[in-house]
Amino acid sequence: PAANIFNAANITNFVWYGLTTEAMNSNTAWFGYLKGATITNLYVPSDCMTMIQAKITDGTLTKITNLYSIDDWEE
């Protein structure tokens, strides 16, 4: 299934552009996309940071080393 699309993947930089808190609230299975992957640097829109950090803190997402906001990027 799509929820296991990154299962067992080792990803250095994952940019999840277009993710929204509204999408995460309406589909609580969103974390299944990331749960099995080992991700060194995850970049998401700033409005998603709190929700994803909460999943890291509560132990739902255990294989994400660094969480960053796409909005903080500079050229």
Side-chain angles (χ1 to χ4, degrees):
N4 295 325
I5 193 167
F6 298 113
N7 197 30
N10 290 310
I11 303 168
T12 301
N13 296 301
F14 187 158
V15 180
W16 198 342
Y17 185 79
L19 183 66
T20 65
T21 54
E22 181 180 333
M24 290 190 291
N25 284 326
S26 66
N27 180 4
T28 57
W30 66 268
F31 67 87
Y33 293 111
L34 304 176
K35 195 170 185 177
T38 299
I39 302 171
T40 303
N41 301 305
L42 176 61
Y43 298 88
V44 298
S46 62
D47 69 324
C48 300
M49 295 279 295
T50 301
M51 189 175 277
I52 292 175
Q53 184 60 58
K55 292 295 183 183
I56 292 170
T57 301
D58 76 9
T60 300
L61 299 174
T62 60
K63 300 178 183 181
I64 297 172
T65 305
N66 302 303
L67 179 63
Y68 299 107
S69 169
I70 294 170
D71 302 345
D72 293 337
W73 279 5
E74 295 182 15
E75 298 224 17

